[in-house]
Amino acid sequence: MDDRDFARNRAEEYGYDVWESFIVPPFYREIESLRTNKPLIVEGGRGSGKTMLLRYWCHQTQFSIHRAEIPDSALNKIGIYWKMDTQFAAFMLFRNYEEEIWNRVFSYWSVLTISLSILDSLKSIAESHYAKFNEEDLVRMKFSGLNGYDENIPDSYEELIAYLTKRRQQFESWVNSIPSLPTINFLPYEFIVDLANCIKKGNEVFKDTIFDIFIDEYENLQVNQMQIINTRIKHSEIPIIYNVAMKHNALVTPETLGNESIVVVNDYRKIPLDEYVEEYFKIFAPEIFLWKLKKDKEVPTLVEKEELFGYDDSVFEKRRSEVYRRELGRSMNAIFPGMTEKEVATLMLEDSIFRNRIAKELKKKGLDSEVVEKIMSSKPECAVVFPSLLERASFNLEDTMMELAKYNEGKKSKFDDIIHNSLFGCVLYQYGSLKRTCPLYAGFGSFITMSKDNIRHFLELCYHSYLRKGPENYVSIPTQCISVKMVSEDMLSEIKSLGRRSNELYTFALRIGTLFETLRKKPSQSEPEQNQFNIVGSIENYKIESLLRELVKWSVLYESKLTKQKTDENGIEYLLNPIYAPYFGISYRKKRRVPLSLVDFEILAFGEEAKYKNLVVRKTNFHDDENFGERSLFDL
Amino acid sequence: MMRILENEAFSTFDIEMQHGEDITKLDVGNGLKYSIVGPNIDERCGYCLDYLNGKTKVYSVEYDTNNFVLILGGARIQITELPDFIMNEGWADDTIIIDATSVNVVELLFLIDAFQKTNIRRFEVLYAEPKNYDSQGTRPRNRRDFSLSVKYEGYKGVPLYSKVTRDFDAKVFCCGYEAARIQNAIESLPIGTTETYLLFGMPPFYVGWDMNAYYNHINFIVKENLQNIYYCGATNPLSVMIRLLDIYKTLQPDQNMFIAPVGTKPMSLAVCLFLVKMSPSNKCAILFDHPEKRAARSKEVGEVNLYRIHL
């Protein structure tokens, strides 16, 4: 098996028929229960699996040649997937014509495209293992009910396809050159409904069929086109139901072409895919990886095809159980072992370079050799955090040594809290100072946190680590660390391809990441693990609001309600996607935030380089030339 | 005349390429009366404008991507009205020079298209290379990150030269420094990566600049398993056109060819010439994302190229 096949992780890479590759999510029952005859809006960030889900529901998969037994119920809902060519859709505007004309043009395009896709679905069924409708039945189908729209509409299947294809070509050519006012007889929306009814009447097997139209990447449409689709959603009725998939914050307008708006529950149901994925991430993500490992690399793993591709209630029950989750965790930990902060601290003190460095820091602050020796011979986690304590204004040597002694004896001590709060940050600080990749980035648990419910990111971390492993059955921690950093770099670089404002998003990510990195380099570590920010004051600035929306839409930032809100603080905090944490050597855990004023945010987002550098110095009280200077040749 | 491109569409086509340290070293046509320039965003655009100003009547051109109109010499005109505009202005053979340093790709395409339609057969194109680009940081990765565009309008059809993309159509990307623009096309459009061709500018403007392009594209090439990689001189439109024609010859009867000019400007010039000349075939279209270029994106002026074109 080619490594590239093993590492495939985007729905688009699997084509339209995903029967052999779609692992039924453990939360599938919940989603299925929402799939009634009401339109759906499937909302999810990048990597949440929306496209895979949509493609799974569509005819290419449901009537896949690989599906051995197809029940009659599969015909109840025939899914039609439409990822629109938005570059073509985007220029159906202006050019001397009123929007109303272009609305009709767009609508006509959708009629042709959807009609052809519906006809295509019949072929999928005829060629599938479904026994009650075959290619002869397809040839026998008649579409004479449509010739009211145009008497030239043929009534046989193949001829109807040829007719509609020709009309589409003529239409595309007209849109491209618009030599004159449209003389084309635009087929109205009702054509699709009549086509569906023809099919329902044309063969007994389709009598209860509903065609579910799924429009992917809704957010890329023009606003007037969204309104057209919204109108279709609002007025969806059997046998044609419209559904859309989009990213967060993408429902730019709920308006329809009329005076109404689409309203959740009344007009559509929403599938918040991210929420489901989040709840079952620790099960679903490892299942996908372990299945790929078994299938593509022939490595025995605990997952079974019958279970991952099955629908029995007992299977769902097992997959959602705590016991199974723990088994998956054990299995993943065996492949991707990690270390706790305390284990890393122990490792550090076994390394003379770290040991000498810490001892030197302690001596530099005026501690005598005897005290230093005591600290260095106490529990490793204490030695690692101790230098940071010396930086604090409230430091008192005598009290601290007493607390240290209590901790070493296993008694309750202030060091319990200090270690809880600061050890992770101090470990990152020490590794960062030596430009070494930190073992805290390794391990299944870290992968889960860093990928933050993004299946694609999780799989990238696993694949890239696994593909670099040695002859052992597991991936060594140093190998994982290198892979993690490379994936992090790739993902950061990928921001440049995220939509129209990608360059602004990229610059912002680089700058905010560098700010957090500089904060991480402060020796005091009094506020360790800063990787979030909030904006103080109200954000009544369109430029800033729209950038924030874009950053959240593309999951460069995650927004959440502010914890411990102060009176002048805005109610939202933003976490830098933790997949970028290894690149900046910062913590991937959601911990502390940096408050930013509107002006600061504006500088970070849009300011000149010099102003931004000043901001970093001002916010960190720390001048770190290194971030703006040359890096080591060997630093990834 | 010997045909330099083996296709009937190019039976009259010829291109003469000159290259020099500065404009004075080039044999710019004596009869030039009209020059067309784009937005003056960096030193080299200013350099060309200074040269053309005074010698010719200067028209500035810009395409309004929102309204699909051209703003040419201060007038807003529909694309289909461009040939009439040209005739009214009295533009003729051997009188026009386009400064491709500043004129953007879509404008270049519309101008050449209109020349073809108005029987203007001979014109010149000037292009001043950049000497330096500013990188977006000093980490090893960012060293090759050049902040060239503020943002993109997104892939959006261009009147007269657009088609609906399909999975099995051929996609050709001219590669410059902004690999993300290609990745964006692959992700946002229903085009997949089968039948994808990449053209790199080799030799580049300067020794070593090709590495920037490869470095920025390598992850994408590996991830998408792209195999069709070609090389054409970064300042040599003819070599690009030869490659495009090679790809065109492999098209199946039902297959179309989409070309994304997201590489160097001379490569884009080649794409425009190719699209205009192949227009009767009804098989070729442009893919373009309309970047908003960053002001002062390049520094200083490098060598200067002059292309004398016979359509």
Side-chain angles (χ1 to χ4, degrees), chain A residues 267-420:
Chain A
D267 300 313
Y268 66 89
R269 286 170 190 268
K270 187 162 141 183
I271 297 184
L273 206 49
D274 287 337
E275 288 174 25
Y276 290 116
V277 172
E278 186 183 347
E279 194 179 343
Y280 292 98
F281 192 66
K282 287 180 184 165
I283 295 171
F284 194 37
E287 278 184 335
I288 297 174
F289 175 71
L290 292 172
W291 168 246
K292 292 276 283 178
L293 201 54
K294 187 171 200 167
K295 183 169 150 281
D296 296 341
K297 293 281 174 196
E298 292 167 5
V299 175
T301 65
L302 68 92
V303 293
E304 299 293 342
K305 184 173 183 179
E306 298 71 32
E307 293 181 353
L308 299 185
F309 290 73
Y311 296 90
D312 290 349
D313 286 338
S314 60
V315 167
F316 279 118
E317 200 177 315
K318 179 195 160 183
R319 288 175 64 196
R320 293 160 67 137
S321 70
E322 188 55 29
V323 175
Y324 179 66
R325 193 183 66 76
R326 277 204 295 269
E327 276 177 19
L328 285 170
R330 264 197 297 277
S331 191
M332 290 298 285
N333 276 318
I335 303 171
F336 302 109
M339 292 174 95
T340 64
E341 300 103 282
K342 287 185 184 173
E343 285 169 341
V344 177
T346 306
L347 186 76
M348 286 167 74
L349 288 214
E350 285 166 3
D351 182 331
S352 61
I353 295 176
F354 277 118
R355 213 182 157 78
N356 294 340
R357 187 185 153 84
I358 293 169
K360 203 171 148 192
E361 279 181 53
L362 296 172
K363 281 178 189 161
K364 212 166 118 187
K365 285 286 171 185
L367 301 190
D368 63 41
S369 302
E370 199 182 326
V371 175
V372 171
E373 185 47 40
K374 242 185 207 164
I375 296 166
M376 296 308 289
S377 58
S378 56
K379 290 192 174 169
E381 58 268 31
C382 299
V384 172
V385 296
F386 213 102
S388 71
L389 304 179
L390 297 174
E391 300 286 336
R392 299 183 186 177
S394 58
F395 177 75
N396 176 305
L397 182 61
E398 204 176 319
D399 292 349
T400 311
M401 293 309 284
M402 267 172 57
E403 293 297 327
L404 181 63
K406 282 199 267 179
Y407 185 86
N408 283 333
E409 288 164 18
K411 292 179 186 162
K412 191 167 169 37
S413 154
K414 283 185 179 164
F415 266 87
D416 293 322
D417 279 348
I418 293 168
I419 283 160
H420 176 76

Side-chain angles (χ1 to χ4, degrees), chain A residues 123-246:
Chain A
K123 197 163 199 91
S124 293
I125 299 166
E127 289 175 351
S128 74
H129 292 294
Y130 182 67
K132 296 180 190 167
F133 186 78
N134 56 30
E135 293 188 67
E136 285 165 16
D137 296 317
L138 183 58
V139 171
R140 275 197 292 273
M141 284 194 87
K142 295 290 171 217
F143 298 88
S144 45
L146 299 171
N147 58 18
Y149 292 99
D150 172 1
E151 59 190 23
N152 297 321
I153 293 182
D155 63 359
S156 79
Y157 176 79
E158 291 295 343
E159 283 174 333
L160 181 58
I161 287 189
Y163 169 86
L164 291 172
T165 305
K166 192 173 171 194
R167 285 194 73 142
R168 190 166 67 174
Q169 285 164 349
Q170 287 169 339
F171 163 79
E172 288 169 7
S173 183
W174 178 81
V175 172
N176 184 34
S177 58
I178 49 163
S180 57
L181 270 165
T183 51
I184 304 168
N185 162 22
F186 288 159
L187 295 173
Y189 160 66
E190 288 72 24
F191 182 85
I192 303 177
V193 179
D194 286 335
L195 173 66
N197 285 326
C198 265
I199 293 168
K200 284 164 79 76
K201 285 182 199 148
N203 193 301
E204 181 67 8
V205 295
F206 297 115
K207 73 176 172 22
D208 296 322
T209 293
I210 291 169
F211 290 94
D212 245 342
I213 318 294
F214 292 99
I215 299 172
D216 203 357
E217 312 259 354
Y218 169 90
E219 65 271 17
N220 291 331
L221 297 179
Q222 305 297 305
V223 173
N224 67 314
Q225 294 165 356
M226 286 178 175
Q227 288 170 349
I228 293 170
I229 301 299
N230 292 351
T231 310
R232 300 269 174 89
I233 288 174
K234 181 105 188 158
H235 301 294
S236 277
E237 55 183 34
I238 294 168
I240 303 283
I241 307 292
Y242 284 87
N243 312 272
V244 296
M246 64 177 81

Side-chain angles (χ1 to χ4, degrees), chain A residues 519-531:
Chain A
L519 286 163
R520 190 265 292 151
K521 288 179 175 174
K522 286 176 75 174
S524 71
Q525 292 294 307
S526 53
E527 289 276 337
E529 299 186 67
Q530 286 172 302
N531 53 8

